[in-house]
Amino acid sequence: MKHRQADENSEYTADQTHTPTDSLAWMDAELDELQARQQVRSLRETAVTAAGWLDVEGKRLLHLASNDYLGLSMAENDWPEPSPAARLLGSGASRLITGHYPAYARLEEEFAAFKQAEACLVFSSGYMANIGVISSLVGRNDEVFSDRYNHASIVDGMLLSRAKLHRYKHGDMNHLESLLKKANPNGKKLIVSDSIFSMDGTMVPLKELVELKHRYGAMLMIDEAHSSGLYGPEGAGLIHEMGLQDDIEIQMGTFSKAYGGYGAYITGSRRLIRYLTNHARSLIYTTALPPVVVEMNRYNVRRSRQEPWRRERLNELSGWFRHQLKGMGFDTGNSVCQIIPVMTGSNEKALQFSRELHQRGIAGVAIRPPTVPAGSARIRFTLTAVHERADLTWALEQMEEAGHACGLISSQTDRADHV
C-alpha cells in the first residue's frame, strides 16, 4: 500500500522535523519531593525460602511483614486433584460473560453457608470489592461515614460513589453520632469500617457501630480483611465472634491474607448479591479469577476451619511478642492482635530502624505517610502461625540492639525479666 504524499500546503510534511520533548519531565520534581520527605518507595525481588523466612536480593531475612497470618500460603500443597475446569490457569472473560466457572459456584455456596449468610459473591481482590460495592450502594444524594484509619480501597470507593463523605475520628463513636445526626433524612446513609485496622492492630467498636446503624437507619459495611479466618467459630470472623452477623448487611473479607490465597468476598442477603451482580462495575468489567485460584481458596478455607491450632498459635505468639516489645520500651500503640506496630514518629527514624533490622537479618518494613498520618511513621510487624519461638526470641534480641542504635528505646532492659 502506497503512502500518500503530503502536499506542500499541508500543515505537516514528511520532511518536517520536531524537537523531542519530555512529556514526563514533571515527574522528576515530584519524585525529588518524595525523596526529600523520605517517602520514596521501590520494589525488591523477594522469595519465600522456608516457613517464616525470606530471601531478599540474596540476603536471608526473618519474615515479619507478611499478611499470611495462618501460614497457609506456605503450607504443603496437598490439596486434592482439581476438576478439569479448575486446572485452567486463565479465565478469559468477565464472570457475566463466560467466566462464571463451576469452581465459583462451589466456593460461593460453601462460603455463604460457613458465614451463615444467604449468599456470597467473589471479587478478584479486596480493592476491587470495596470500590465496586461502595460505589454501587450510594450516589450523589447519599452520605458515607468512614473511620479515618480505613483502608485506601474504602476511601477510593467513597470517592467513586460521589456521595458526601464524612470521616470520623478513629474509633470515636461520639464523633460519628454527631455526623449522623446532621445527615440528610431523605438520602441513604452508609457506615463503613475495617474490623481490624491494618497499620495499627486496633479493633473496631463493633457493637457501638451496630447500635448507631439501627438508631439512624444506616446501612453498615464491615471489612474483615485482617480478621476473617482468625476470629469466631472456625475463623468465621470478628463479626461472628461477637454474634452480630444478623445486624450487618454487607460483610466483606479477603482470601489473600489468613486464607493464603487470592481474591475477596461479599456475604449478605440474596437481594444484596443480586443487586451487586448488576451494579458493581469492578465485578462486571473485570476478567474472572482463574478457576485454579478459586479452587485453591476453597481448599484453604476448608483447611483453616479444620486446623484450629493455627489460630491458637498465632494468638499466643502475638500476645507474647507484643509483651516483649513493650517490656523493652518500644511503643506498640494500641495493638491488640497479630499486627504490631513499633512507632518511630519520623520517616527518617522508621527508615533507619528498618535498615538496622535488615542488616541484622530481619524484614521489617517502614510504613510512612500517606499510608499513615504525618508524624506517625512506624515499622509494622506481623506474625504468622508458623513462626518458631526460637526465631522470634532471636529477633527480639536484634530489635533491642537496633532500637538502642536508633534511639527508639532509651535504657537497657534486663532481657532475663521478660524473655
Side-chain angles (χ1 to χ4, degrees):
M1 179 177 169
K2 294 182 178 179
H3 294 285
R4 187 177 63 184
Q5 285 283 355
D7 65 56
E8 59 184 12
N9 296 320
S10 124
E11 185 177 343
Y12 174 81
T13 59
D15 61 352
Q16 184 176 348
T17 59
H18 293 274
T19 302
T21 59
D22 185 355
S23 61
L24 302 182
W26 58 270
M27 293 181 180
D28 293 332
E30 292 198 16
L31 288 168
D32 289 343
E33 186 178 346
L34 286 174
Q35 184 67 56
R37 298 200 305 263
Q38 301 289 311
Q39 289 179 223
V40 169
R41 293 162 171 80
S42 60
L43 298 172
R44 294 189 296 176
E45 189 172 320
T46 303
V48 176
T49 58
W53 289 87
L54 292 174
D55 184 305
V56 180
E57 297 178 340
K59 185 174 179 64
R60 187 170 184 261
L61 302 173
L62 184 63
H63 193 5
L64 295 179
S66 173
N67 290 331
D68 181 23
Y69 301 129
L70 296 179
L72 288 170
S73 76
M74 295 178 278
E76 218 174 296
N77 187 356
D78 57 356
W79 55 314
E81 182 74 11
S83 66
R87 292 193 191 101
L88 294 173
L89 300 180
S91 53
S94 162
R95 291 187 64 188
L96 288 170
I97 300 177
T98 59
H100 183 63
Y101 291 94
Y104 269 101
R106 288 193 292 268
L107 174 60
E108 289 174 342
E109 182 179 347
E110 288 183 14
F111 202 76
F114 170 48
K115 294 281 284 183
Q116 300 175 312
E118 290 182 355
C120 172
L121 188 61
V122 170
F123 283 75
S124 58
S125 71
Y127 188 93
M128 299 294 265
N130 277 339
I131 64 170
V133 172
I134 295 170
S135 62
S136 299
L137 295 177
V138 289
R140 289 183 184 276
N141 299 317
D142 306 319
E143 300 182 56
V144 189
F145 304 83
S146 170
D147 190 294
R148 282 192 178 275
Y149 286 8
N150 276 343
H151 190 265
S153 59
I154 293 176
V155 176
D156 290 353
M158 295 189 301
L159 293 172
L160 282 173
S161 75
R162 300 183 181 180
K164 186 176 182 180
L165 312 182
H166 304 279
R167 299 181 71 189
Y168 58 89
K169 297 173 185 175
H170 178 50
D172 189 334
M173 297 298 98
N174 290 327
H175 186 208
L176 172 58
E177 183 166 22
S178 70
L179 295 171
L180 286 166
K181 286 179 178 178
K182 301 172 185 176
N184 176 9
N186 299 317
K188 289 178 287 185
K189 296 182 285 292
L190 174 65
I191 303 170
V192 190
S193 179
D194 286 335
S195 56
I196 288 179
F197 294 87
S198 61
M199 294 299 133
D200 298 83
T202 53
M203 286 186 181
V204 62
L206 200 52
K207 290 183 178 179
E208 291 87 340
L209 273 186
V210 167
E211 290 174 3
L212 289 175
K213 157 223 156 41
H214 286 306
R215 190 177 304 161
Y216 292 95
M219 298 176 286
L220 179 56
M221 176 177 175
I222 297 296
D223 180 335
E224 289 220 76
H226 293 273
S227 59
S228 187
L230 303 182
Y231 297 89
E234 297 184 342
L238 189 64
I239 292 170
H240 287 71
E241 173 144 318
M242 303 183 74
L244 296 171
Q245 58 268 26
D246 295 333
D247 293 288
I248 299 168
E249 296 91 339
I250 308 108
Q251 299 178 34
M252 177 270 183
T254 60
F255 297 111
S256 56
K257 297 179 176 61
Y259 291 129
Y262 190 72
Y265 65 83
I266 297 291
T267 56
S269 67
R270 290 188 185 90
R271 178 173 55 185
L272 170 70
I273 299 307
R274 186 183 178 198
Y275 180 88
L276 293 176
T277 302
N278 286 276
H279 288 82
R281 293 168 67 87
S282 61
L283 175 84
I284 298 168
Y285 300 109
T286 300
T287 300
L289 287 173
V292 67
V293 174
V294 180
E295 282 286 317
M296 176 184 65
N297 291 338
R298 180 169 167 249
Y299 174 71
N300 281 0
V301 170
R302 285 184 169 184
R303 185 168 184 172
S304 74
R305 296 174 65 184
Q306 296 165 359
E307 297 179 353
W309 68 264
R310 293 180 182 272
R311 286 184 291 279
E312 294 163 4
R313 179 167 174 78
L314 176 65
N315 185 57
E316 185 271 327
L317 284 177
S318 299
W320 169 77
F321 193 78
R322 185 169 50 251
H323 176 72
Q324 305 311 308
L325 288 172
K326 287 182 176 180
M328 294 175 187
F330 285 111
D331 178 3
T332 61
N334 296 313
S335 168
V336 294
C337 64
Q338 76 282 357
I339 299 168
I340 307 169
V342 166
M343 311 302 291
T344 64
S346 71
N347 296 340
E348 293 78 10
K349 282 285 185 184
L351 291 170
Q352 182 188 6
F353 190 37
S354 180
R355 286 192 294 266
E356 289 282 346
L357 292 174
H358 187 276
Q359 290 172 5
R360 289 169 167 81
I362 298 169
V365 179
I367 306 296
R368 295 157 288 163
T371 305
V372 293
S376 67
R378 66 201 65 183
I379 304 293
R380 174 186 178 265
F381 296 114
T382 51
L383 301 192
T384 75
V386 297
H387 275 120
E388 296 291 340
R389 186 181 283 260
D391 290 338
L392 294 176
T393 299
W394 167 81
L396 286 164
E397 294 169 355
Q398 307 308 309
M399 290 177 190
E400 186 170 32
E401 291 179 8
H404 285 298
C406 297
L408 293 176
I409 46 180
S410 56
S411 60
Q412 187 69 30
T413 305
D414 184 2
R415 294 284 294 134
D417 289 342
H418 53 79
V419 173

